[in-house]
Amino acid sequence: MESVEGEEDQCNQNEQLAKDSITNGQHPLQHHHHYHHHHQFVRKVSKSLVLFSALALAIFVVYHSSKLPASLHNSFSSSMPKELVELSKVMEKTAMKDKTVVITTLNEAWAVPNSIFDLFLESFKIGNQTKWLLNHLVVVALDQKAYDQCLKVHPNCYKLKTEGIDFSSEAYFMTKDYLKMMWRRILFLQTVLDLGYNFIFTDADIMWFRDPFPHFHADADFQIACDYFRGNSSNLNNSPNGGFTYVRSNQKTRQFYRFWYVSRNLYPNNHDQDVLNRIKHDPFLKHIGLQIRFLETKFFGGFCQRSEDFNLVCTMHANCCVGLDNKIYDLKIMLDDWRKYMSKSRNGTSLLEKSSWNVPQHCGPASFRPRRMPKNGTQGGT
């Protein structure tokens, strides 16, 4: 994808064309209250037309390659971006029978031994019947060292190249590098949808304790976890958290991800989650028929709003937390809490002795206090 998606600067110079391509030449914002912004994006049409056409052609060939004769398949593959071919191979190898994959992203700061990534993998291994999901986990490494470390501990790794940007350091919440990383993620997930794969995207600071599939909504195209759940999965006033999403690949979600990515220019200096909060009421989503559901925190909890019932919890997110060290400290305690619960379950005492979380401790409001930034920039995210 380096030769197509890696040219992000060219994409930035013509977001209007991208918008027009979402719905057969009918701009979703033409009757919207942000229409007055659109003239800011119209420039360098020819370059972006070539860019988007090349990406669409490459994805079409990859998606339909299994139906082509071997000679044609080899001919097309030799002319496609190498990274796109590699991604297709990783997805095909890792996907479930219904073409669903679990995806997380990783940089060097989160990949080093005894850091977030080790805790993430450990949660699948000690969870309640979650180990099988590791067979369908694709780890997207944002830099070479993260990729190398991933290969040491997990079979399904993919290196995402982005020219001119170094994602190896810890990208502190809402810094320039953090925003670039979040939007690069949206662009990548759009490509996964274009290839025809459904996905669960999960931040690596989310611990997996149960199979989440029984708690997804059968009628939804796009499902997302919440920082705070307001009691109704269809209520657009829920507070979404982009760290955990379940998305089915169809025309509606592909159009939605393009619209989401384009909308970052209407709301500069906002990350993907904030922009989603702004566009979730947009008439365009109703126009394309996108079905959105918000996941209940009693199943998909976090430090913002915990899943208090250990007998129901599927995932727990180190959200409402800034700083890698803070996350690691509290996630280790979280895993210990879960191990104690599982021990009670094996001994038949889980119903008699109520389990409770001993976190957050270092996370929470205190972790958001301003601090001096290291020279190399640092991360956390929420």
Side-chain angles (χ1 to χ4, degrees), residues 55-309:
L55 178 58
L57 176 61
I59 289 172
F60 174 84
V61 172
V62 172
Y63 183 74
H64 292 280
S65 61
S66 61
K67 303 176 183 178
L68 293 173
S71 58
L72 286 177
H73 172 53
N74 294 335
S75 175
F76 277 118
S77 296
S78 64
S79 63
M80 286 188 301
K82 180 181 177 182
E83 289 76 18
L84 197 58
V85 175
E86 291 174 356
L87 175 61
S88 182
K89 289 179 180 178
V90 172
M91 292 293 167
E92 184 176 1
K93 179 181 72 170
T94 312
M96 303 173 194
K97 290 182 180 179
D98 66 348
K99 297 194 72 174
T100 298
V101 292
V102 181
I103 299 174
T104 194
T105 52
L106 194 66
N107 67 354
E108 179 188 353
W110 283 36
V112 296
N114 300 313
S115 189
I116 293 287
F117 188 44
D118 284 348
L119 299 175
F120 177 69
L121 295 178
E122 179 68 11
S123 74
F124 284 90
K125 296 171 184 176
I126 67 174
N128 187 351
Q129 299 182 350
T130 51
K131 192 172 182 178
W132 69 274
L133 290 162
L134 287 172
N135 298 325
H136 305 290
L137 171 67
V138 176
V139 177
V140 179
L142 301 177
D143 59 79
Q144 185 63 47
K145 289 186 178 180
Y147 181 69
D148 294 340
Q149 181 61 27
C150 179
L151 290 175
K152 293 177 183 179
V153 295
H154 189 68
N156 305 316
C157 307
Y158 173 75
K159 183 183 176 185
L160 181 62
K161 296 181 181 179
T162 306
E163 287 189 1
I165 301 177
D166 180 13
F167 286 140
S168 62
S169 298
E170 194 190 345
Y172 197 75
F173 182 58
M174 291 306 296
T175 60
K176 185 177 180 181
D177 284 347
Y178 175 85
L179 294 175
K180 287 180 179 179
M181 191 182 298
M182 294 301 100
W183 286 111
R184 186 66 180 93
R185 183 174 79 184
I186 296 296
L187 195 61
F188 172 77
L189 294 175
Q190 175 189 314
T191 302
V192 173
L193 293 174
D194 286 340
L195 287 172
Y197 290 93
N198 318 307
F199 64 79
I200 298 177
F201 176 80
T202 172
D203 278 343
D205 62 345
I206 293 178
M207 302 295 102
W208 285 56
F209 298 128
R210 280 189 180 84
D211 181 351
F213 284 98
H215 303 288
F216 292 142
H217 300 269
D219 61 343
D221 304 301
F222 175 81
Q223 304 181 52
I224 187 167
C226 299
D227 284 336
Y228 301 98
F229 183 71
R230 301 185 185 278
N232 183 335
S233 66
S234 299
N235 185 352
L236 291 176
N237 291 319
N238 282 301
S239 302
N241 188 301
F244 189 92
T245 54
Y246 174 46
V247 187
R248 292 186 172 94
S249 177
N250 56 41
Q251 186 64 20
K252 292 177 285 186
T253 55
R254 289 189 286 271
Q255 290 176 347
F256 168 60
Y257 265 76
R258 285 180 174 83
F259 178 63
W260 190 358
Y261 185 74
V262 162
S263 297
R264 79 196 192 285
N265 285 308
L266 294 177
Y267 309 102
N269 302 318
N270 282 259
H271 62 66
D272 57 320
Q273 191 170 299
D274 285 340
V275 172
L276 175 60
N277 254 328
R278 292 175 177 269
I279 67 172
K280 64 187 179 183
H281 297 281
D282 196 288
F284 177 64
L285 303 191
K286 186 175 181 180
H287 170 70
I288 63 175
L290 185 76
Q291 295 295 316
I292 300 176
R293 292 291 183 271
F294 297 89
L295 300 171
E296 297 184 53
T297 50
K298 71 177 179 180
F299 301 115
F300 305 93
F303 292 157
C304 298
Q305 190 174 65
R306 297 186 307 191
S307 177
E308 299 291 1
D309 191 339

